[in-house]
Amino acid sequence: MGTDLRAYQTSLSEVVNLSGIGVHSGDSVSISMLPADANTGIIFRRIMPDGTMHDFPAVVSHVGATDLCTMLGDPSKIHVSTIEHMMAAFSAIGLDNVIIEVDSHEVPIMDGSSRIFIDAIDEAGLTHFTAKRRYIRVKKTVRAEIGGSWAEFSPYEGTRFEVVIDFESAAIGRQEFKSEVDGDVFRNELSSARTFGFMKDVERLWASGHALGSSLDNSVVIGDDNMVINREGLRFKDEFVRHKTLDAVGDLALAGAQFIGSFRSYRGGHRLNATVLKELLADRTAFEIVETPEPRERAFAREFVAIAAQAYAPWDV
């Protein structure tokens, strides 16, 4: 216990361009990840057909919907959706400041995981600033429940995830992932875990305008016989819970800073992740903003000290 954490902010060293398919729209999507100054944060910039731009800071107060994915903005108006896999990559690598230009209303699904985003960021490299990196340290347990599902934050000297899923499908069943999550753990154990779904849900999703770009190239699909139909099979025997943990890493990055604490969930999803994050940030006695007290590159979680940070607050939930 006592994960060492990055002490200073970062951005990209160069522009990253990617393209792919929107998993729900089926449309071709191009994105550009642009270097940004210290204290910019993460901003999704929707580029409209007429050239106008709309910025969405990647914080939970801007979340507009959590059905099947996480969306910033108004679902009935201008928005950017399916941001969670990219946000997970940013959080795990420690990329603090970046502007993502998107020419459609959703981030491309790529292969259904975070792996391609991680690889692209690694190729571009990171620039390190002298501005200190801030963290949210959990001070007391905060819990949220929706039906038979629950999630909670609790104090811990590191960043730990304990995610449990429980599906009636024999292909999934009950699976658990429990580990501290840093950059190496995310790369090796979570980043390549793909999104998944059931063939029996396809027609309903198509009728509602969802999953129009879903395919065996970007999703693990479970057939009516409760068997995985992807020819290559699974990347991990418990790929399903690993992907749910990947989603949680991305959704909780919408705190505006990495948290120091433990996150636990049972049968969670995007809605529950957003709900418990809002519960945490709405209670200023439940967390504090911390940074390293000394000029060094990395520090242990227990060594970070609380600061007054009213001007920093993206937590107007």
Side-chain angles (χ1 to χ4, degrees), residues 217-270:
D217 293 328
N218 56 43
S219 305
V220 176
V221 180
I222 300 166
D224 294 337
D225 58 357
N226 272 318
M227 299 291 289
V228 172
I229 67 175
N230 301 65
R231 178 173 294 182
E232 74 278 15
L234 297 174
R235 293 175 176 173
F236 307 92
K237 66 178 182 180
D238 57 352
E239 185 169 0
F240 305 101
V241 73
R242 290 174 189 258
H243 185 79
K244 283 289 190 178
T245 306
L246 182 159
D247 278 346
V249 172
D251 288 340
L252 300 185
L254 293 169
Q258 182 178 336
F259 70 90
I260 297 174
S262 174
F263 172 78
R264 300 170 62 223
S265 71
Y266 174 71
R267 299 181 67 179
H270 301 302

Side-chain angles (χ1 to χ4, degrees), residues 16-229:
V16 173
N17 297 306
L18 293 171
S19 60
I21 298 297
V23 70
H24 293 302
S25 68
D27 295 338
S28 296
V29 184
S30 295
I31 61 172
S32 295
M33 292 185 267
L34 312 178
D37 295 334
N39 297 313
T40 298
I42 297 170
I43 297 173
F44 285 84
R45 176 170 293 164
R46 173 77 186 276
I47 309 297
M48 305 301 290
D50 63 2
T52 58
M53 299 180 292
H54 300 265
D55 285 357
F56 299 95
V59 291
V60 70
S61 55
H62 287 269
V63 171
T66 51
D67 298 329
L68 302 176
C69 66
T70 297
M71 175 190 297
L72 299 174
D74 188 334
S76 64
K77 298 179 181 177
I78 299 171
H79 59 269
V80 178
S81 65
T82 323
I83 65 168
E84 58 272 10
H85 302 167
M86 179 177 279
M87 288 297 298
F90 294 162
S91 178
I93 280 184
L95 176 54
D96 304 296
N97 304 286
V98 60
I99 297 172
I100 307 99
E101 294 185 342
V102 188
D103 68 355
S104 184
H105 60 77
E106 61 181 325
V107 171
I109 192 63
M110 311 311 288
D111 72 340
S113 75
S114 293
R115 185 170 63 182
I116 293 174
F117 299 126
I118 292 280
D119 291 345
I121 295 166
D122 282 345
E123 184 174 349
L126 296 181
T127 294
H128 298 262
F129 297 120
T130 57
K132 290 184 178 180
R133 194 174 198 232
R134 290 169 174 171
Y135 292 80
I136 298 168
R137 181 156 60 198
V138 180
K139 296 174 62 179
K140 70 179 186 183
T141 298
V142 173
R143 183 181 177 99
E145 299 182 11
I146 300 176
S149 304
W150 58 265
E152 68 178 22
F153 287 98
S154 58
Y156 183 81
E157 288 186 2
T159 300
R160 183 173 178 82
F161 285 78
E162 298 186 6
V163 175
V164 179
I165 62 173
D166 195 356
F167 284 77
E168 292 183 2
S169 168
I172 305 176
R174 181 185 174 96
Q175 298 182 2
E176 301 181 358
F177 182 88
K178 298 181 179 181
S179 176
E180 291 204 18
V181 175
D182 58 14
D184 290 338
V185 170
F186 187 86
R187 290 172 191 273
N188 297 328
E189 301 186 32
L190 298 174
S191 69
S192 61
R194 295 162 293 175
T195 193
F196 60 92
F198 297 86
M199 278 297 297
K200 63 183 177 62
D201 296 328
V202 168
E203 289 188 3
R204 174 180 58 82
L205 291 170
W206 286 347
S208 65
H210 294 97
L212 300 178
S214 181
S215 73
L216 296 179
D217 293 328
N218 56 43
S219 305
V220 176
V221 180
I222 300 166
D224 294 337
D225 58 357
N226 272 318
M227 299 291 289
V228 172
I229 67 175

